[in-house]
Amino acid sequence: MAPAAGSVNATPAAISALLAKFGDADADIRYMSLNDLDKILRSGAQGFLSNEYQICAKVVESLLKTLDDRNGEVQNQAIKCIGSLTQKAPADILAPMIDRLSTLKTTNAVDNSIPATALRTFLTVFPRPVVGVQPHRSTQDAYSAVSKVLIPRLVGYVVLPHGVRTQISPPPAMLEVQQDNTVDHDALDVLIELIRCFGPLLHDVEKKALQKSTMAIFNHDRTSTIAKKKAVSAISLLTLYMSDSLLSSFVSNILESFNKPNLTASQHRLLMTMLASLARTVPKRFGIYIKNLAPFVLDPLSEEEYRTALQESADNGTVDTESEEVREAALLALESFLLSCSHDMRPYTDDSIQASLRFVAYDPNVAAEEDDDFMGGTQEDADDEDKDQAEEEEEEDFEEEDGMSDEDDASWKIRRCAAKALHAIISTRSNGDLLDNGVLYQKIAPILVARFQEREENVRLEVLSAMTTLVHKTSDVTSTFFSFAGELDFELASVAELRSRKRRRLGSDATLFESPVSSVPILGFQSPENSPPPNSGPRADLARLSSTILRGISTLLKESTPATKQSSIALLRKIVIVQLGGLSEHFKIIAGPLIEAIKLPSGGSYSQSVGTAASASSGKLRIEALQLVCAVCDNHSSVIIAPHIPGLVSATVIAAQDKYVKVSSEAMIAVESLLKVLTPPRSASAEQINRKFVEQLYDVVLDRTVATDADVEVRQRALHAFGILLARDSGQSKANVLSNAQIQKATEVLLDRLRNETTRLSAVKAVNIFLNSLQDPGKTPARWMRAVTLELGAQLRKANRVLRGASLAALRDLAGNPVALSHLDVETIEALMGMLLPLVSADDLNLLGMTLVILGRLVRHSPSQIVDQSLTVALCGIIITPLAGAVLDALLLLLKAIGEQGIGQPLMQSLLQDVGVNGDAAIVGKAIGTLLVAGAPTVGVKLDDFVRELQSAPDDQRKCLALSVLGEAGLRMRSKSPLEPALFTNYFNSKSQSLPRAAATALGRAGAGNIQTYLPVILSATSQSGSSQYLSLHAIKEILQFSSQSKADLSPYTRQVWDTLLAASQAEDNKAVGGECIGRLAIIEPHTFLPLLKKYLQDRTPSVRGMAIQAIRFTLSDSDEAFDEVLRPMLIHLLTLMLNDADLENRRLALGALNSATHNKSDIIFPNLTDLVPLVMKESRVKPELVREVQMGPFKHKVDDGLEVRKSAYETLYALMEGAYSRINPVDLFDRIGDGLEDEHEIQILCNLMLTKLVALDPDETSRQVDVIVERYRSILTFKLKDTAVKQEIEKLNEANKGVLKVTLLLHDTLSARTSSGSNPPSEKWKGYWDWVAKEFRGQLASVEQEMKSQTAA
């Protein structure tokens, strides 16, 4: 019996004791002995066999014998032992081991590949070397053995002498073609593993020798197809490590092969396959050869070849199979070229399109005259609306057409490859390129639509996939619509919408917290407006082609397979989303098949082996159909949907009760969309008819909400639907779509779910929707409202920040709804106040802002229950902290409410005594001034008290506070203010550092309330020079900022202000504030001043142009709709002028202006990005003429004057990419990112941020560009600082490495997910990089991964 593993010591003696058992007659003993040996080798210390050469030699001999064992399990265990032994054996034993393994001949084993498998195991156990990184010692030793023994064994001669004068000729080459024309496939597998594991260490002569031997197999006429494919794989791997000269020589040999006069069709096909593989493997380096290779790829796809093939088929009734295979390989190579080297393929765009269109309709089994329908100039008119429906119904079934196809006909492979090539063109050339100039819709789209009638399922799916991609690319802006699959919750989208809005002149920052989250219209909540499509552009092209597309799809939905139906429905959904409708005239012929698809039973599977595009299941088909229902309901009038409501409701109810979670979850979203269609205001005229269907939907929502066997996701979405239904019932229309009993049951369920941990968040959001729409006090009992209020308040103590935020949003809507607020009693309000008070803290400003808004509303309703000593202490605590923006405005609104209720005296006393000068004078002054004016005589102090304080205070801090109070009071008292301008201007000449600036700000705020009194004085001071002018500009800025809120009219002074600002802004110190003032003035009178700013952009003086650029930039964030109408026709021209400015600093300012426009004027910017993006990318390049050397003591230091401009350019690219990625050429963008990763530290950070977005935005292009990213990342991670590096340099390096590792993790997750979903596996370069990072940076990688998980959870 074999010894137990635990009783064997990891010593050489223990190994010797096991060797005798390897020859035992009992296979079990042999197996267990090998198993014990493997455990000893794995558990032993690294060097415990370093001096045991004899024992290692005996172990090798014994293992070689067991490799020839008759028992397969024993052989496999022996292979494991070889791997373990290799890691612990001395380096001198490796070469003999390889020699014995490579010459081993098995006689007893059934599997002759065992020696090769053992060799591959030997190669894989060592740490893989990385280009540019010193290899591990064991790896270097292993490579030496491989170079001495294995490579000569593979090629048949000694490649590197390794210092040995007398060389022994190796046995016959393992890669040699035998006399019987066979090749050892196992040797090719060993070669592939050798290159994969030791490629970076191979010398050029070794690469050349391996290439020569492999190409001999590739070029041999009689070697098998499998051998040739493996040879292609080996060569492709080898090109990763070839030098430029070696790669150039190899490509030249391929070119010579193409030019051979006796080139056979088989050789031609293999050369095409080789080119396709090279393009995918080394796209960046291969691109420079495209101009020489592309003609050879396009030649078999020419019009002449196409006509010749059809003529031969017509004459002989058969096709040349070898020629067909060449065309298929050429199309595959063309697809690889287009995807991997799209920039280099631009000169061949027209040829590629024509070739793909030619062969996507290639079908020798179809009469030639039918083919004419798809070729040049005879295409079916896309706008033909006269086709009779009867003709559609008479079209032949695709399944019946299969009978026309001969079993040997493989032309469908050519058509599928052509469709893939078209898909590649659409994917790589639709970002502001061929999509904008109409080529994709005018040339490609009609042919794709015509090929909907394709009889082969595989081809048809590829055609639909290409068309779907084209429609998806048509949208001007990425991610502008809510996700129908539910990835983006509506409240989160609404908050994002609110946050994206910049402050308008007529509003306050506090509106960010005051506006109810659900006040942003939910998609489909109201009947959509049928706006006409644009007159030009991609959406216009799609609109013109839609009728033809829809007619073709309607036939597919009736007569095709489930996979085709799924792809067709996905295409329809994209069309609806992009066009915001588009099915009005055709929904009647689509509704029936759509309803049938939803009713399919889950669990059935339908698949074909053509990749992900051709696989479908009934569950996936139902999900696509339900998503289309959502899109249709949310983007079409109820009149269009009404005739099909019975079928849609019935099918959706069935789907909502399905056991398949994804189907039932998607069905609940469809239920919500149908509820919006069935209830007012979208269907006010059919209330009685719709009530029946509403009740059916109500029943299924209620069932799914309370069902204990329903998935959590289903219950959460059901709760959201409940919120929508209750909101529709109790809103302005007062539709009464639900009975009182149903409402009572629904509200009870909501309250119950609010108390349940798994559904709490969804219930809060549903309550929020309901409360925001509640207008009928009879819809909810007071008892329920009080219970909900207390439950929402209780959630504020939870650790989940998202839950706290949602609960606060619901309480904000409750406090802002008079109907809901009227149900609350004193006890409830006091209890709520106790729950809100802990949030009156500066720890979380977002929650603080909403809390202040809630308190402000509650103060107006129940002041005595809200304002007490606890609130006073809490408010004084946050006033001390540096508040700004929306939070500060919310605080001032609360103070105003307290003052208006006449209960502000205790708070005023605390502000004066406890806060005073302890806080920021500007913030504290605004708070006191607001309370002072709002409370008037009830706060215990008067305005004159602060005037005296200003005049008598002994220190500057108290004077600054008094100035701030007086300025705020003057703003709020407006013309009633008794304060004179001299009160503030007297302090302009103060020697204090803070007092003059405080006086200027206070003067401006007071002046905004009384323009006629203050502005002339301020303008007079502005005409002076020095500090008075600068301070007066700040006062003007405050006036212009608040002018729209003042009752006084600024128009009599605008021209005078304009002239004064222009004159004052010429001073260097005044440029920034002067530009802001000029911009704000342009907002007030755009018709007058925008043309003048345009004129100044062409001024000869750089400072004048810079002032105009800054002014325009300020207008972009604070303007309103009236200003936008004037700006719209000229903005692109203005930006173009700015970005082409000759002055470097002005171009930096221009990039900032474009960045601002991207966030605030996206509707103007995005359609014109083709004119702007090249200018931005131009500024992102390093310009050698801007780099200079500066002498610093004994050292020379390089200064890059263009760095700040490049930083601004990358920041702008990041903003454009986030908002309009579909309008940017991805290849050009990745090119800039690749260069940016080699730039300065700040730009590297921006590029990493861009990659984190691109991983999600465009995983396909990211995976194609991953090799370039890997090269840059490896350089960053291997960079070593000098020993004299300072702390700042170390921190920068650590930050850079952390950013690289974060993106690396994201790339790993994305590439792994793509591989598991059926996409092409990642490149070898990525695999090697990931293995290296996972080993060398294991600790840092784990730390970054944990941090990312924590951020996601938060």
Side-chain angles (χ1 to χ4, degrees):
M1 184 174 179
S7 62
V8 179
N9 296 322
T11 60
I15 294 177
S16 298
L18 290 172
L19 296 180
K21 300 178 182 180
F22 291 174
D24 195 283
D26 190 339
D28 288 341
I29 293 179
R30 297 198 303 273
Y31 175 84
M32 293 304 299
S33 299
L34 287 168
N35 186 54
D36 289 341
L37 174 63
D38 183 61
K39 289 182 178 180
I40 291 174
L41 292 172
R42 289 179 182 274
S43 61
Q46 184 61 39
F48 86 110
L49 292 177
S50 58
N51 297 317
E52 304 293 339
Y53 297 99
Q54 292 184 352
I55 292 179
C56 290
K58 291 179 181 180
V59 172
V60 171
E61 289 295 330
S62 300
L63 291 177
L64 291 174
K65 292 179 182 178
T66 54
L67 288 177
D68 197 22
D69 199 284
R70 291 187 176 88
N71 188 290
E73 292 184 359
V74 173
Q75 289 178 317
N76 292 335
Q77 194 64 34
I79 291 173
K80 288 179 62 178
C81 289
I82 285 177
S84 302
L85 176 64
T86 302
Q87 293 178 300
K88 301 296 172 65
D92 294 342
I93 208 75
L94 299 181
M97 184 188 300
I98 295 175
D99 182 60
R100 295 298 307 277
L101 286 172
S102 62
T103 56
L104 178 65
K105 301 293 183 182
T106 56
T107 56
N108 298 321
V110 177
D111 185 0
N112 292 327
S113 67
I114 289 296
T117 304
L119 266 176
R120 287 159 53 199
T121 301
F122 173 92
L123 295 172
T124 56
V125 297
F126 298 99
R128 290 191 180 184
V130 177
V131 177
V133 180
Q134 182 67 28
H136 194 272
R137 175 63 183 273
S138 62
T139 304
Q140 187 65 53
D141 293 339
Y143 166 68
S144 297
V146 167
S147 181
K148 290 177 183 177
V149 180
L150 184 55
I151 293 178
R153 183 72 183 88
L154 288 170
V155 301
Y157 60 92
V158 176
V159 181
L160 285 176
H162 290 282
V164 181
R165 296 181 180 179
T166 304
Q167 298 289 342
I168 301 175
S169 298
M174 297 170 66
L175 296 176
E176 186 178 40
V177 180
Q178 305 299 320
Q179 292 182 354
D180 58 355
N181 298 321
T182 60
V183 176
D184 186 356
H185 293 176
D186 298 327
L188 283 168
D189 292 334
V190 171
L191 172 62
I192 291 172
E193 205 63 56
L194 185 154
I195 299 171
R196 182 179 288 119
C197 295
F198 295 96
L201 300 181
L202 295 175
H203 291 79
D204 279 354
V205 290
E206 293 174 320
K207 298 171 190 174
K208 195 168 184 178
L210 294 173
Q211 172 198 322
K212 181 179 178 182
S213 298
T214 310
M215 288 303 294
I217 298 172
F218 179 81
N219 292 323
H220 198 280
D221 293 337
R222 298 187 179 273
T223 51
S224 67
T225 303
I226 296 176
K228 292 181 184 296
K229 286 183 177 180
K230 290 186 176 182
V232 169
S233 299
I235 287 293
S236 299
L237 277 174
L238 195 58
T239 55
L240 282 172
Y241 310 106
M242 284 184 180
S243 63
D244 291 340
S245 59
L246 195 58
L247 180 61
S248 176
S249 174
F250 177 63
V251 174
S252 298
N253 292 336
I254 294 179
L255 285 170
E256 292 176 4
S257 300
F258 273 115
N259 289 317
K260 288 181 179 179
N262 58 346
L263 184 67
T264 65
S266 176
Q267 292 172 332
H268 200 174
R269 173 177 58 82
L270 289 169
L271 286 172
M272 294 290 184
T273 305
M274 177 70 75
L275 292 180
S277 182
L278 291 178
R280 291 191 298 268
T281 306
V282 284
K284 201 75 173 178
R285 299 170 62 200
F286 187 74
I288 61 176
Y289 305 107
I290 288 292
K291 60 184 178 183
N292 298 321
L293 296 171
F296 292 104
V297 173
L298 292 168
D299 183 62
L301 307 175
S302 64
E303 175 72 17
E304 181 181 356
E305 288 284 334
Y306 177 79
R307 294 297 177 188
T308 301
L310 290 181
Q311 188 62 43
E312 289 180 357
S313 175
D315 294 343
N316 304 327
T318 59
V319 294
D320 184 355
T321 305
E322 290 188 340
S323 297
E324 299 272 89
E325 291 177 349
V326 170
R327 296 184 189 103
E328 180 187 355
L331 285 166
L332 287 172
L334 179 62
E335 180 196 7
S336 296
F337 283 14
L338 291 167
L339 288 174
S340 304
C341 310
S342 60
H343 183 76
D344 302 286
M345 281 295 291
R346 285 176 181 267
Y348 304 96
T349 297
D350 292 339
D351 293 335
S352 301
I353 292 175
Q354 291 301 323
S356 303
L357 292 177
R358 205 173 282 130
F359 284 93
V360 79
Y362 173 71
D363 194 347
N365 282 350
V366 179
E369 58 268 19
E370 291 185 19
D371 179 71
D372 289 339
D373 292 339
F374 311 117
M375 298 312 298
T378 59
Q379 299 170 6
E380 181 183 2
D381 186 4
D383 295 323
D384 183 14
E385 301 287 348
D386 301 326
K387 183 175 286 188
D388 191 90
Q389 177 125 7
E391 287 183 71
E392 296 181 8
E393 296 175 353
E394 291 174 3
E395 290 188 16
E396 296 182 358
D397 191 302
F398 294 111
E399 300 301 323
E400 295 175 359
E401 283 191 33
D402 285 348
M404 297 174 59
S405 176
D406 189 281
E407 291 183 358
D408 297 328
D409 176 32
S411 64
W412 66 269
K413 296 181 180 179
I414 295 178
R415 297 196 299 277
R416 185 182 66 179
C417 291
K420 287 184 175 182
L422 290 173
H423 193 287
I425 293 171
I426 293 169
S427 299
T428 58
R429 300 297 301 279
S430 58
N431 292 52
D433 189 1
L434 299 182
L435 186 64
D436 284 345
N437 62 22
V439 169
L440 296 183
Y441 271 107
Q442 294 170 14
K443 290 187 177 181
I444 295 179
I447 302 300
L448 290 176
V449 175
R451 294 313 302 166
F452 285 178
Q453 64 180 315
E454 169 65 49
R455 58 193 175 87
E456 288 289 341
E457 174 82 355
N458 302 338
V459 184
R460 191 161 62 243
L461 291 172
E462 292 296 343
V463 169
L464 286 167
S465 177
M467 193 66 208
T468 302
T469 301
L470 176 55
V471 175
H472 174 71
K473 294 282 188 177
T474 302
S475 178
D476 287 338
V477 183
T478 306
S479 302
T480 54
F481 303 100
F482 296 114
S483 169
F484 295 106
E487 292 91 346
L488 182 61
D489 192 78
F490 110 90
E491 282 87 359
L492 297 180
S494 302
V495 170
E497 173 70 14
L498 282 171
R499 293 190 182 282
S500 69
R501 298 176 179 174
K502 298 297 182 180
R503 181 176 55 188
R504 303 302 185 187
R505 289 191 300 131
L506 299 178
S508 167
D509 276 348
T511 56
L512 176 62
F513 298 119
E514 281 199 316
S515 300
V517 173
S518 47
S519 67
V520 179
I522 306 172
L523 193 62
F525 205 87
Q526 295 182 346
S527 191
E529 299 179 2
N530 294 323
S531 57
N535 296 325
S536 60
R539 289 186 61 198
D541 295 335
L542 174 60
R544 286 189 284 270
L545 192 63
S546 290
S547 296
T548 307
I549 297 174
L550 295 173
R551 285 201 303 269
I553 289 179
S554 66
T555 304
L556 295 180
L557 291 176
K558 294 175 184 177
E559 303 172 348
S560 59
T561 62
T564 296
K565 288 181 179 179
Q566 179 181 331
S567 298
S568 301
I569 291 173
L571 174 55
L572 279 176
R573 183 167 61 90
K574 290 292 183 185
I575 291 174
V576 172
I577 292 174
V578 171
Q579 294 196 129
L580 300 178
L583 299 186
S584 299
E585 299 178 5
H586 297 83
F587 188 63
K588 58 185 177 182
I589 59 176
I590 293 171
L594 183 62
I595 293 170
E596 292 300 319
I598 298 174
K599 288 183 176 180
L600 281 175
S602 295
S605 179
Y606 313 87
S607 64
Q608 310 246 350
S609 301
V610 294
T612 56
S615 63
S617 68
S618 59
K620 293 180 180 178
L621 176 57
R622 297 177 77 188
I623 290 172
E624 284 288 353
L626 288 165
Q627 290 176 349
L628 178 57
V629 170
C630 295
V632 170
C633 290
D634 293 336
N635 292 282
H636 291 81
S637 170
S638 300
V639 176
I640 305 298
I641 305 167
H644 313 285
I645 283 294
L648 289 172
V649 170
S650 173
T652 306
V653 168
I654 293 173
Q657 297 171 328
D658 197 274
K659 293 182 179 180
Y660 187 34
V661 173
K662 292 184 178 180
V663 172
S664 56
S665 178
E666 203 64 48
M668 293 314 304
I669 302 177
V671 165
E672 184 177 313
S673 296
L674 288 169
L675 285 171
K676 298 171 191 173
V677 173
L678 290 168
T679 53
R682 291 188 59 176
S683 60
S685 60
E687 179 179 336
Q688 296 302 321
I689 300 175
N690 292 338
R691 186 185 294 273
K692 175 179 65 175
F693 302 116
V694 171
E695 289 179 352
Q696 293 180 26
L697 296 175
Y698 170 88
D699 290 339
V700 74
V701 170
L702 178 62
D703 176 69
R704 294 294 84 192
T705 302
V706 300
T708 56
D709 60 340
D711 187 80
V712 173
E713 182 181 348
V714 177
R715 283 184 282 165
Q716 290 173 345
R717 289 181 170 173
L719 282 167
H720 196 278
F722 247 152
I724 293 292
L725 182 55
L726 289 172
R728 302 291 278 219
D729 181 76
S730 59
Q732 292 180 354
S733 59
K734 298 182 180 179
N736 296 320
V737 294
L738 298 177
S739 65
N740 291 334
Q742 289 173 324
I743 293 174
Q744 182 179 356
K745 181 63 176 177
T747 52
E748 289 176 356
V749 168
L750 272 182
L751 181 58
D752 179 67
R753 295 295 91 188
L754 195 60
R755 293 166 175 162
N756 185 285
E757 185 175 356
T758 58
T759 57
R760 185 173 288 149
L761 180 59
S762 298
V764 168
K765 295 177 180 180
V767 168
N768 192 5
I769 299 171
F770 176 38
L771 293 176
N772 186 55
S773 302
L774 180 63
Q775 294 193 8
D776 186 352
K779 293 293 183 181
T780 54
R783 177 181 52 82
W784 182 86
M785 189 63 69
R786 295 165 187 167
V788 165
T789 301
L790 295 177
E791 197 61 42
L792 290 172
Q795 311 309 321
L796 302 179
R797 294 193 293 266
K798 304 296 183 183
N800 188 333
R801 186 176 182 278
V802 177
L803 176 61
R804 285 185 288 155
S807 300
L808 269 179
L811 287 171
R812 178 198 56 205
D813 287 356
L814 186 152
N817 189 323
V819 175
L821 205 55
S822 64
H823 288 312
L824 303 186
D825 56 12
V826 174
E827 291 77 9
T828 304
I829 292 177
E830 289 178 347
L832 178 61
M833 180 59 194
M835 299 169 182
L836 289 171
L837 199 59
L839 297 181
V840 184
S841 166
D843 295 339
D844 192 324
L845 295 181
N846 189 45
L847 298 182
L848 172 61
M850 283 194 286
T851 303
L852 294 174
V853 170
I854 295 170
L855 292 173
R857 293 173 178 176
L858 291 177
V859 164
R860 294 183 177 90
H861 179 265
S862 304
S864 58
Q865 281 79 38
I866 301 299
V867 182
D868 55 14
Q869 182 61 28
S870 300
L871 179 61
T872 298
V873 173
L875 290 178
C876 290
I878 64 170
I879 290 174
I880 295 176
T881 60
L883 303 178
V887 178
L888 178 58
D889 288 342
L891 172 63
L892 297 180
L893 288 173
L894 172 58
L895 295 175
K896 181 182 177 182
I898 293 174
E900 290 173 345
Q901 299 302 318
I903 53 175
Q905 185 171 357
L907 179 58
M908 178 64 79
Q909 291 177 353
S910 294
L911 290 175
L912 294 173
Q913 296 173 6
D914 301 332
V915 178
V917 295
N918 295 324
D920 185 346
I923 297 173
V924 178
K926 287 181 180 181
I928 295 175
T930 300
L931 187 60
L932 175 67
V933 176
T938 64
V939 294
V941 291
K942 299 180 180 179
L943 189 64
D944 293 339
D945 296 332
F946 292 97
V947 174
R948 287 193 293 271
E949 177 74 8
L950 174 62
Q951 296 171 345
S952 62
D955 56 80
D956 291 344
Q957 286 182 318
R958 297 182 185 279
K959 290 181 183 292
C960 288
L961 178 58
L963 283 169
S964 181
V965 172
L966 293 172
E968 189 68 23
L971 171 66
R972 296 182 178 275
M973 295 178 70
R974 301 187 185 278
S975 59
K976 297 179 181 180
S977 171
L979 304 176
E980 294 295 331
L983 181 66
F984 305 98
T985 57
N986 289 338
Y987 294 92
F988 276 16
N989 297 320
S990 173
K991 295 181 180 181
S992 169
Q993 293 183 351
S994 56
L995 202 55
R997 182 64 178 272
T1001 303
L1003 175 65
R1005 293 183 74 83
N1010 193 352
I1011 290 177
Q1012 293 179 351
T1013 302
Y1014 279 76
L1015 189 54
V1017 177
I1018 296 173
L1019 292 175
S1020 175
T1022 308
S1023 62
Q1024 302 174 13
S1025 59
S1027 61
S1028 294
Q1029 186 181 67
Y1030 176 76
L1031 295 171
S1032 298
L1033 286 175
H1034 277 280
I1036 292 176
K1037 183 184 75 170
E1038 295 291 333
I1039 290 177
L1040 293 175
Q1041 182 175 351
F1042 290 96
S1043 62
S1044 60
Q1045 300 175 6
S1046 298
K1047 296 181 179 179
D1049 187 7
L1050 189 65
S1051 56
Y1053 304 96
T1054 52
R1055 190 68 199 194
Q1056 184 182 358
V1057 173
W1058 177 268
D1059 295 336
T1060 302
L1061 291 173
L1062 287 178
S1065 299
Q1066 300 305 308
E1068 186 66 29
D1069 294 340
N1070 299 342
K1071 280 184 179 180
V1073 65
E1076 182 177 355
C1077 291
I1078 292 172
R1080 293 189 183 279
L1081 192 58
I1083 295 173
I1084 296 173
E1085 291 190 11
H1087 291 281
T1088 304
F1089 297 121
L1090 268 181
L1092 292 177
L1093 285 176
K1094 181 179 178 182
K1095 177 183 176 182
Y1096 293 138
L1097 286 175
Q1098 304 174 40
D1099 194 275
R1100 294 182 179 181
T1101 308
S1103 60
V1104 174
R1105 299 197 304 271
M1107 175 272 297
I1109 293 172
Q1110 286 184 313
I1112 292 173
R1113 184 180 65 177
F1114 280 113
T1115 67
L1116 298 173
S1117 59
D1118 285 353
S1119 55
D1120 54 16
E1121 287 75 8
F1123 176 82
D1124 289 351
E1125 291 303 315
V1126 183
L1127 179 68
R1128 190 179 304 276
M1130 63 175 71
L1131 179 56
I1132 302 304
H1133 180 60
L1134 293 175
L1135 289 170
T1136 304
L1137 285 175
M1138 291 188 280
L1139 291 169
N1140 284 308
D1141 196 285
D1143 186 78
L1144 187 67
E1145 176 61 17
N1146 285 348
R1147 292 202 301 276
R1148 185 188 68 81
L1149 294 174
L1151 288 166
L1154 176 56
N1155 198 337
S1156 179
T1158 300
H1159 289 97
N1160 300 285
K1161 311 294 178 189
S1162 57
D1163 57 327
I1164 307 175
I1165 295 296
F1166 290 166
N1168 298 279
L1169 283 184
T1170 50
D1171 300 324
L1172 299 172
V1173 170
L1175 299 176
V1176 180
M1177 290 192 173
K1178 176 184 175 183
E1179 297 301 330
S1180 68
R1181 301 181 185 278
V1182 177
K1183 298 179 180 179
E1185 64 272 18
L1186 297 178
V1187 181
R1188 53 191 172 89
E1189 279 192 351
V1190 177
Q1191 190 77 28
M1192 300 181 67
F1195 305 103
K1196 289 184 178 180
H1197 178 65
K1198 285 188 176 181
V1199 176
D1200 188 350
D1201 293 329
L1203 177 60
E1204 293 302 319
V1205 176
R1206 291 202 307 279
K1207 285 168 59 178
S1208 296
Y1210 276 100
E1211 289 169 356
T1212 305
L1213 282 175
Y1214 179 72
L1216 292 171
M1217 179 200 73
E1218 276 195 305
Y1221 177 71
S1222 62
R1223 313 296 297 163
I1224 303 174
N1225 186 288
V1227 178
D1228 294 340
L1229 181 61
F1230 273 98
D1231 179 67
R1232 302 314 318 128
I1233 292 175
D1235 288 350
L1237 290 173
E1238 295 180 316
D1239 211 319
E1240 296 295 329
H1241 175 71
E1242 297 87 346
I1243 295 177
Q1244 288 180 0
I1245 292 175
L1246 288 170
C1247 290
N1248 283 332
L1249 288 174
M1250 295 168 75
L1251 285 173
T1252 59
K1253 297 290 184 182
L1254 287 169
V1255 168
L1257 284 174
D1258 195 348
D1260 294 335
E1261 187 62 33
T1262 304
S1263 64
R1264 287 193 288 268
Q1265 299 285 344
V1266 74
D1267 286 355
V1268 178
I1269 299 170
V1270 161
E1271 291 177 4
R1272 306 297 192 269
Y1273 276 1
R1274 185 180 287 120
S1275 299
I1276 296 173
L1277 292 174
T1278 55
F1279 179 77
K1280 302 295 182 184
L1281 291 171
K1282 297 180 180 179
D1283 295 337
T1284 57
V1286 298
K1287 180 180 179 182
Q1288 185 180 12
E1289 292 175 325
I1290 297 173
E1291 290 176 349
K1292 276 188 175 182
L1293 181 62
N1294 291 336
E1295 185 180 4
N1297 288 349
K1298 184 177 179 180
V1300 167
L1301 294 176
K1302 180 179 180 180
V1303 180
T1304 298
L1305 281 170
L1306 292 173
L1307 287 170
H1308 174 68
D1309 293 342
T1310 300
L1311 295 175
S1312 300
R1314 285 171 53 80
T1315 302
S1316 62
S1317 64
S1319 300
N1320 293 328
S1323 65
E1324 290 297 324
K1325 186 172 288 188
W1326 164 259
K1327 292 178 183 176
Y1329 167 77
W1330 171 252
D1331 291 342
W1332 172 69
V1333 169
K1335 180 178 180 181
E1336 298 296 330
F1337 298 88
R1338 181 181 303 171
Q1340 294 170 262
L1341 205 63
S1343 175
V1344 171
E1345 186 174 17
Q1346 184 61 40
E1347 182 180 336
M1348 292 171 62
K1349 289 180 179 178
S1350 301
Q1351 292 174 351
T1352 303

